[in-house]
Amino acid sequence: MTRQLGYFRFVYACFIVQAIRQLPKTACPPERDVSERSSVFLYRSVVFFVALLCSSVLAACVSSAPTDTSPFPISNLHPLEVNTAKADRLGNSDSVNPRDGAPYRTYELFLVEDDILRIVVESSDFSPGIALFGPDGSLIGSTESRTRSSQITTSHSHDPYGYGSYGGHGTLGGLGAYGGYGGFGGYGELDAFGQPHAGTHDSVSGRKSLIRRAAQPGRYLVVISSLEVGELGAFQLSTETVEPSAAFRFPGKVTDFLYEGGRIHPQTRALLNVHTLDLGEDTAVELKVNSSDFTPQLSIVERDTETVLAQTHPQIGARDSSILTELPAGNYEIWITAFHSGPDGRYTLDGQLGEIQRTESFVLGQTFRSFLGWNRTTIPSSMRKGEAMEFELDEPAIINALMHTTDFNSYLVLTDEDGRILREDQDSGWNYNAQHHWQNPPVYDARIYWLLKPGKYTLWATSAMPQESGAYRVTTALHKAPDSDQVAVGESVEGALTQASEIYQPRYTPIEYITLTVEVAGEVRIDLAQHEFEAFLILEDEFGQTIVEMEYDYYAASRAQITQDLAPGTYRIGVTSVAPNEIGSFTLRVRTTGPSGQHG
């Protein structure tokens, strides 16, 4: 800016000199005496001095213009009052980010020192972004920032596209922190305007919130932008100054704010708020946190050791999080943070006495209700801890066990009497061992479906993440073990697809093979009299070569059958499922359909 003002003074002085030189010659004719010539010279000197003084004053006025302290071009600056809401529109006449073509609109507002400002923008027409700049032009924060703005070195040079402190390997442009391979632009996130490059933001949302503290009084710039090129439309913009809430008291409720300037989570480096929880006796505690601004993560830790006793793992985009757990008397802290670093905003914490239901003892075939808390038992041959459910079998059987909960990610483990793990499953829903409940959002049960011989076993209820806790239920049932893997025409046989079944590679589904013996040539019908899954049949010769597959009919999925002329010999019937995640018991039946002498 100094270079620009010097250039302005020089041009202005040249203009005045040229004007003086053009004064009429008659002002000082040659025949006048020396004193008159001296007077004209003095007159010209005074005019030149006054011109230089005016140029300095004008330059000083230019240097105080608002757009000069802005770190980016501003075509139109709009006033904005604190603690107000207004409807506005992002249109074609607004400024355009030269890096990616995304439009933006700039507002100015004035804050006093230590004001805590909350900005909220909502739009149903485009995905908005917010950036806040301080009185010196430095970026205070942005809704699209993955790297915390307190870790960004900002400069006051006004060269956003060059190779100075705003460019090159510097702060705001080129390959610096806001451009190229830096933390915020190009392959990073933000550009010279504190806005993300189009197409680089994590999630699309029509509502964004930003909270920052004013470190100094003065004029601040608020930039509202579209995160995609060409997206325009109406939006609602509101601002308010907020005050930190009073201390949380259990049981009770408090509304507070997560914003830059407080504590930092020691593992995730995200913004962190801490509330105290003091218990004079063993207590069942239920905590709930809700936010419309970010995905909240909730933790309970020991105050002295910061050991995490319970913690939620919400899905990105969720707006609430809860913990139900039992705690012994002691001093604890409640940690509230955003599930992924960066977002801030308002939240409400509600803590109440919890209600826990428990079944007195575990019995096979009955629903068992219990609670998974901090006091768990170590599972043999595992790093996990859980709650044990022991049972004994007198004869071979298939156990079907399902663990259901909406408080955490369920996880089931099955061990034998020697402590060896036979099977374990989580509620991911991706494997064929998880059963889907049609709820919104979808809920999956951890499931174990396993063939067991007589003996003693233990089911372990635990969580996918070690600090998760809450109420759960386990339902169990015993299915008859398969009779045989052999069948003849006119007979039926019972079997089951289990988690131990062979995988049929062409379909990546569990499969069980039944050997079929045909003694008399003729047309044979193979079907499943009953089945607990959407079945698919395959007929192979004795060498495993496919003879025929059933014709799958989406509208008659419950009917699984094959009709085929067969010569005397040995064959293999493959019983599998249509989808990879289906298992269960079945009854296979083989009959004749013609006068071959064999009848089912």
Side-chain angles (χ1 to χ4, degrees):
M1 177 58 67
T2 302
R3 185 184 305 170
Q4 293 174 347
L5 295 180
Y7 179 75
F8 179 84
R9 293 190 186 102
F10 175 77
V11 172
Y12 193 87
C14 291
F15 174 80
I16 296 300
V17 170
Q18 183 65 19
I20 293 175
R21 292 180 61 186
Q22 296 301 321
L23 290 173
K25 303 279 186 187
T26 58
C28 188
E31 63 272 11
R32 299 290 177 88
D33 56 22
V34 175
S35 61
E36 289 179 324
R37 292 185 180 185
S38 299
S39 299
V40 172
F41 177 80
L42 180 62
Y43 169 75
R44 291 179 175 180
S45 299
V46 171
V47 171
F48 185 77
F49 175 79
V50 172
L52 285 179
L53 180 62
C54 291
S55 69
S56 299
V57 173
L58 181 59
C61 294
V62 173
S63 66
S64 63
T67 55
D68 235 13
T69 57
S70 304
F72 51 85
I74 298 175
S75 61
N76 214 349
L77 194 58
H78 305 274
L80 185 63
E81 298 292 332
V82 179
N83 297 319
T84 60
K86 64 183 301 183
D88 213 334
R89 184 175 185 83
L90 194 63
N92 292 319
S93 61
D94 286 309
S95 303
V96 175
N97 189 329
R99 289 188 179 276
D100 54 31
Y104 65 94
R105 194 172 181 84
T106 308
Y107 301 85
E108 67 170 353
L109 53 76
F110 294 87
L111 301 175
V112 300
E113 187 175 355
D114 291 329
D115 269 352
I116 300 175
L117 176 68
R118 180 173 185 252
I119 309 168
V120 178
V121 60
E122 295 183 84
S123 176
S124 58
D125 296 335
F126 62 92
S127 302
I130 307 173
L132 179 66
F133 292 85
D136 59 1
S138 62
L139 178 70
I140 305 299
S142 170
T143 54
E144 303 307 310
S145 167
R146 293 190 190 98
T147 303
R148 295 170 49 76
S149 60
S150 62
Q151 299 170 344
I152 302 166
T153 303
T154 57
S155 172
H156 310 320
S157 171
H158 297 274
D159 185 19
Y161 307 112
Y163 293 90
S165 57
Y166 279 78
H169 290 273
T171 306
L172 290 175
L175 299 180
Y178 284 81
Y181 292 90
F184 284 89
Y187 288 92
E189 295 175 30
L190 302 184
D191 57 24
F193 306 148
Q195 301 301 314
H197 289 290
T200 65
H201 50 282
D202 281 336
S203 60
V204 176
S205 172
R207 185 181 193 277
K208 292 294 175 63
S209 169
L210 182 69
I211 300 178
R212 288 295 185 271
R213 184 182 68 86
Q216 56 183 310
R219 188 200 66 164
Y220 288 74
L221 297 181
V222 177
V223 179
I224 305 300
S225 70
S226 169
L227 301 187
E228 294 288 351
V229 176
E231 283 191 346
L232 304 171
F235 63 89
Q236 289 287 133
L237 176 62
S238 62
T239 61
E240 63 174 328
T241 54
V242 300
E243 296 290 339
S245 300
F248 170 73
R249 297 185 181 277
F250 180 84
K253 181 185 293 187
V254 68
T255 297
D256 209 340
F257 299 89
L258 191 66
Y259 63 92
E260 185 117 7
R263 289 178 60 175
I264 304 299
H265 195 286
Q267 281 80 42
T268 66
R269 309 305 300 168
L271 303 174
L272 174 67
N273 263 13
V274 177
H275 302 274
T276 59
L277 177 64
D278 298 320
L279 301 177
E281 59 183 3
D282 295 356
T283 308
V285 175
E286 184 172 15
L287 300 176
K288 297 180 180 179
V289 61
N290 176 270
S291 174
S292 59
D293 296 334
F294 60 91
T295 299
Q297 184 176 41
L298 185 61
S299 306
I300 299 177
V301 303
E302 289 183 335
R303 185 178 304 169
D304 295 334
T305 64
E306 292 193 352
T307 301
V308 179
L309 302 179
Q311 181 171 280
T312 61
H313 296 269
Q315 295 181 349
I316 294 179
R319 287 295 177 255
D320 52 54
S321 192
S322 63
I323 289 178
L324 175 63
T325 191
E326 288 179 310
L327 295 172
N331 300 319
Y332 306 92
E333 289 182 340
I334 303 170
W335 288 7
I336 297 176
T337 184
F339 186 54
H340 46 95
S341 63
D344 50 24
R346 186 201 307 264
Y347 67 87
T348 299
L349 172 64
D350 186 10
Q352 303 296 332
L353 296 174
E355 183 178 350
I356 296 175
Q357 297 181 348
R358 274 196 174 94
T359 306
E360 291 187 6
S361 59
F362 173 75
V363 178
L364 265 178
Q366 297 182 7
T367 299
F368 177 74
R369 299 180 183 274
S370 191
F371 180 85
L372 194 65
W374 62 275
N375 52 342
R376 313 181 190 186
T377 304
T378 301
I379 301 173
S381 307
S382 174
M383 299 292 291
R384 299 181 181 276
K385 294 183 177 182
E387 188 170 9
M389 295 162 282
E390 299 178 346
F391 64 96
E392 185 175 358
L393 295 179
D394 297 327
E395 58 183 19
I398 296 174
I399 184 171
N400 185 20
L402 295 96
M403 179 180 177
H404 179 78
T405 179
T406 57
D407 293 338
F408 57 92
N409 296 296
S410 58
Y411 200 102
L412 270 179
V413 180
L414 177 64
T415 60
D416 61 15
E417 56 186 327
D418 296 324
R420 292 173 299 192
I421 295 178
L422 303 178
R423 185 67 188 176
E424 53 189 323
D425 176 52
Q426 63 174 340
D427 63 348
S428 65
W430 290 102
N431 299 323
Y432 61 81
N433 48 5
Q435 182 172 357
H436 184 202
H437 286 260
W438 294 106
Q439 300 180 11
N440 188 20
V443 176
Y444 295 91
D445 292 344
R447 185 185 189 190
I448 290 181
Y449 194 85
W450 202 256
L451 176 62
L452 299 175
K453 61 183 180 182
K456 295 180 179 180
Y457 301 92
T458 303
L459 272 174
W460 297 86
T462 184
S463 56
M465 299 295 180
Q467 296 88 9
E468 292 179 310
S469 64
Y472 70 90
R473 72 171 183 265
V474 172
T475 57
T476 54
L478 291 179
H479 295 173
K480 183 180 177 182
D483 295 333
S484 171
D485 60 356
Q486 305 281 334
V487 69
V489 178
E491 298 178 349
S492 62
V493 63
E494 295 184 355
L497 297 181
T498 72
Q499 293 160 336
S501 296
E502 178 184 345
I503 297 299
Y504 181 57
Q505 293 299 329
R507 304 180 65 88
Y508 204 73
T509 53
I511 190 169
E512 290 289 338
Y513 287 100
I514 307 296
T515 301
L516 168 64
T517 301
V518 176
E519 297 180 354
V520 179
E523 189 176 64
V524 176
R525 174 175 294 173
I526 305 166
D527 62 3
L528 292 179
Q530 59 181 12
H531 46 92
E532 297 178 335
F533 52 90
E534 193 172 357
F536 192 87
L537 291 175
I538 304 164
L539 180 62
E540 301 176 352
D541 61 22
E542 60 181 321
F543 304 107
Q545 298 298 313
T546 300
I547 298 174
V548 65
E549 294 182 349
M550 63 169 276
E551 294 183 3
Y552 177 72
D553 185 353
Y554 176 83
Y555 297 99
S558 61
R559 183 175 68 247
Q561 67 178 28
I562 289 176
T563 301
Q564 184 71 21
D565 285 324
L566 296 178
T570 302
Y571 301 88
R572 295 203 316 169
I573 303 172
V575 181
T576 186
S577 57
V578 172
N581 60 345
E582 294 181 297
I583 51 179
S585 62
F586 63 85
T587 299
L588 179 70
R589 181 173 56 186
V590 182
R591 297 175 295 172
T592 58
T593 60
S596 62
Q598 297 183 351
H599 302 278

